Amino acid sequence: MAGESTTTEPVAGPRVHDIGAGGIVVVAAEAADVRIQGVEGTEVRVVAPADGAGIATEAQPGRFTVRTLRHVGTERIGFVGLKVGRREFGFPLGFRVSGTIEIEVPRDARVEVGVGAGDVAVRDVRGGAVVRTATGDVSIKGVGGHVAVNASSGDVNVIAAEPVTLEVHSVAGDVRARAPRFDRVAVETISGDAELAGTFAAAARHTISTVSGDVELAVLGGGLTIEVKTVSGDLTCHHPDRRDGDGRRRPLVIGDGAAQMAIRSMSGDVDVRPGRVGPPAPVTPVPPVAPAPPRPPAPPPVAPPAPDDAQDAGTVAILEALARGEIDVVEAERRLTLVAAPHEPAPGGDRRDA
């Protein structure tokens, strides 16, 4: 469904403001796509909406704020969900996006964006970016400094032009990041993969946690010592500079091992390689083959056993608490283990004395 965007309130405040060097730009949108472009100079300029309809601005020394006014827009359907192993929990989420806010900011500015529903794109801003969104994808490219993203439903893509400190919390969506150097990494995903490529500074301890998702790590240079703990998942390393360890019984050492990283995954594989994250595999043409003879019809599938309602309720409650940020991945792992333990048959439990 789609509807025409309407508004009856005019813009309040200036469209252009000089925030000086190292200023702050804040965008608060209830339902809108946000695009921020870094430019030369010290001025902030509202590019869209062209007539200023539906937004209000506030100018202060060293700071510029843009917020949306309430009005009806285009309806979109999103999905918020969790997946643990083969179990999926989720629900569709309808929301309205009121249009697009486009702003030009100084390259050295710090941007802070909060969006209830809508995509966020930040380009060429070197002063750092903080983004919070309930529903929508986040794309941050050409950035530097401190980058922090909190996304409930949507993918996060970060491509840094300078060294960055990266903090990401994602409930339902993949996290993909590339940087010339990560000064510190703290990435947590609940239902989604984490893919990072770059060098890692030795001055900080880097962490990646996933509840249900794979971790792909491309070490482009320098050294890294990796400790991995997975409840259900495999660890593979294809890096030519691997020096020692397997990541489990002994830390996995790449190069001089100067930087430290801890990876924790409840349900997902860990892959360590050189080069970029996820290089496309070459496509080999498949020669035509003769059609196979017809097969007899397969027997009807066997219905799976009905799930245990009590166990389901306990699992859902734990995952919801994790999504709300009330517990971390470690505590969620401990609670899920306790919920599942009473339902696991004890060894030899079905044997009877003769």
Side-chain angles (χ1 to χ4, degrees):
M1 271 182 66
E4 294 296 327
S5 176
T6 60
T7 181
T8 58
E9 298 186 65
V11 65
R15 296 177 60 84
V16 180
H17 176 54
D18 191 331
I19 60 172
I24 299 175
V25 178
V26 179
V27 180
E30 184 175 312
D33 295 334
V34 176
R35 299 174 184 172
I36 297 178
Q37 176 65 54
V39 297
E40 297 298 333
T42 58
E43 286 187 343
V44 181
R45 182 182 303 274
V46 178
V47 178
D51 59 357
I55 65 171
T57 65
E58 181 182 358
Q60 297 175 324
R63 186 182 183 95
F64 188 72
T65 301
V66 180
R67 61 181 177 85
T68 58
L69 305 174
R70 290 179 176 269
H71 59 288
V72 179
T74 303
E75 186 176 59
R76 295 183 184 175
I77 299 297
F79 180 81
V80 176
L82 304 174
K83 180 178 180 182
V84 176
R86 297 184 178 180
R87 303 287 301 283
E88 293 184 347
F89 311 90
F91 54 90
L93 178 65
F95 56 93
R96 291 185 178 272
V97 175
S98 61
T100 299
I101 298 174
E102 186 173 345
I103 306 172
E104 293 179 350
V105 306
R107 293 189 192 278
D108 66 350
R110 170 186 169 89
V111 299
E112 300 178 0
V113 182
V115 177
D119 298 335
V120 177
V122 179
R123 299 289 184 270
D124 302 325
V125 177
R126 309 300 171 86
V130 177
V131 178
R132 301 177 182 86
T133 176
T135 302
D137 296 333
V138 177
S139 176
I140 304 176
K141 297 182 179 180
V143 296
H146 178 228
V147 176
V149 180
N150 192 314
S152 295
S153 177
D155 296 333
V156 177
N157 185 26
V158 178
I159 300 178
E162 298 178 352
V164 294
T165 296
L166 181 66
E167 298 178 4
V168 179
H169 175 81
S170 172
V171 175
D174 297 332
V175 176
R176 186 182 181 92
R178 184 167 75 244
R181 187 183 73 233
F182 291 103
D183 288 335
R184 184 172 67 88
V185 169
V187 172
E188 182 179 27
T189 72
I190 295 176
S191 179
D193 299 334
E195 304 176 355
L196 275 72
T199 61
F200 297 86
R205 183 171 177 82
H206 311 278
T207 61
I208 301 176
S209 300
T210 71
V211 173
S212 177
D214 299 332
V215 175
E216 187 174 332
L217 196 62
V219 183
L220 305 186
L224 187 64
T225 298
I226 307 171
E227 297 180 2
V228 178
K229 181 177 181 181
T230 62
V231 176
S232 174
D234 298 324
L235 169 65
T236 57
C237 178
H238 305 286
H239 203 291
D241 294 336
R242 175 178 175 177
R243 303 288 297 276
D244 188 25
D246 57 8
R248 295 178 183 271
R249 292 181 297 273
R250 302 189 316 278
L252 181 66
V253 180
I254 305 296
D256 61 11
Q260 302 288 320
M261 175 170 287
I263 300 177
R264 179 182 293 270
S265 175
M266 288 184 59
S267 176
D269 299 331
V270 178
D271 184 23
V272 182
R273 64 174 69 208
R276 293 186 174 185
V277 168
V283 178
T284 304
V286 179
V289 296
R295 296 182 179 181
V302 179
D308 188 304
D309 291 341
Q311 185 177 5
D312 285 353
T315 301
V316 171
I318 294 170
L319 294 176
E320 289 178 344
L322 182 61
R324 292 191 299 268
E326 297 174 358
I327 59 176
D328 58 16
V329 173
V330 177
E331 177 62 17
E333 175 185 336
R334 186 188 70 82
R335 295 186 185 184
L336 287 172
T337 302
L338 293 176
V339 169
H343 301 269
E344 296 176 355
D350 293 332
R351 295 169 55 187
R352 297 177 182 274
D353 295 336

